[in-house]
């Protein structure tokens, strides 16, 4: 429970920090910290049910704070978390360069999916060359911070580990070895 609460707090903090950074930098130059935090969680998480629930809660938090259609980020976070869990079993994403490339590609796909969902529900959305160039810059910026944010998620993961560690040997074990 400590792990879920701490990672949820980290994810919501990433959403808030991303909103604060977006006031200083233009949108393509602002990395998607919440998405990278979710990727970092997906790299380490083992249970599917609680992980999907955590991804949906983080997505709804982002929906509430971003003003987008309610449920849009939650759905895409669900897909992103699942894609990260599948990819980490098939690919070695532990290095900085593979993780940065994966995060950059996933950011561009996430942006295209957001555009498609918005176009489906609202209508009148069209893909422009300038938007695609901005999304590629956004993906590159997100990929650049992915190793740092993933390392932070790893530190929180290790700190909040539910297992208290190895138990000290009892007197019976000491007597048998002597």
């Amino acid at each position: 429970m400590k792990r879920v609460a701490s990672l949820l707090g980290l994810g919501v903090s990433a959403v808030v920090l991303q909103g604060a950074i977006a006031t200083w930098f233009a949108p393509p130059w602002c990395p998607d910290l919440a998405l990278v935090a979710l990727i970092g969680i997906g790299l380490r998480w083992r249970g599917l049910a609680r992980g999907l629930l955590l991804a949906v809660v983080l997505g709804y938090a982002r929906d509430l704070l971003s003003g987008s259609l309610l449920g849009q980020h939650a759905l895409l976070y669900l897909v992103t978390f699942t894609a990260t869990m599948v990819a980490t079993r098939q690919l070695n994403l532990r290095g900085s360069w593979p993780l940065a490339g994966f995060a950059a590609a996933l950011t561009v796909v996430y942006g295209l999916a957001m555009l498609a969902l918005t176009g489906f529900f609202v209508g009148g959305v069209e893909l422009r060359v300038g938007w695609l160039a901005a999304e590629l810059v956004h993906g590159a910026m997100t990929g650049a911070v992915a190793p740092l944010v993933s390392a932070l998620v790893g530190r929180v993961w290790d700190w909040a580990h539910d297992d208290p560690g190895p138990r000290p040997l009892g007197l019976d074990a000491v007597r048998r070895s002597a």
Side-chain angles (χ1 to χ4, degrees):
M1 189 65 186
K2 180 180 174 183
R3 180 178 294 160
V4 173
S6 60
L7 290 175
L8 182 63
L10 180 70
V12 171
S13 298
V15 172
V16 171
L17 183 62
Q18 178 182 337
I21 291 173
T23 61
W24 293 325
F25 298 108
W29 299 101
C30 178
D32 197 343
L33 297 176
L35 186 68
V36 176
L38 182 69
I39 291 171
I41 293 169
L43 289 174
R44 290 161 181 84
W45 203 272
R46 294 295 164 242
L48 186 62
R50 287 193 332 179
L52 291 176
L53 183 64
L54 179 66
V56 168
V57 169
L58 287 175
Y60 273 123
R62 186 161 180 189
D63 281 329
L64 292 174
L65 293 175
S66 70
S68 64
L69 296 172
L70 191 60
Q72 192 173 17
H73 286 288
L75 173 65
L76 292 179
Y77 270 33
L78 187 73
V79 172
T80 301
F81 181 80
T82 306
T84 303
M85 283 189 71
V86 168
T88 195
R89 284 168 176 64
Q90 302 296 323
L91 304 171
N92 182 11
L93 297 177
R94 297 293 178 186
S96 296
W97 288 105
L99 181 60
F102 180 74
L106 204 56
T107 302
V108 172
V109 170
Y110 188 90
L112 289 170
M114 281 290 284
L115 185 71
L117 278 174
T118 303
F120 180 76
F121 287 111
V122 177
V125 177
E126 57 188 60
L127 182 63
R128 296 184 182 154
V129 175
W131 180 89
L132 189 58
E135 193 61 31
L136 290 174
V137 169
H138 187 222
M141 294 303 294
T142 302
V145 300
L148 298 172
V149 175
S150 181
L152 176 65
V153 170
R155 288 192 181 263
V156 171
W157 179 273
D158 291 339
W159 173 80
H161 192 60
D162 292 332
D163 185 17
R167 294 184 179 171
L169 295 176
L171 290 177
D172 295 330
V174 174
R175 288 182 190 149
R176 286 185 213 143
S177 65

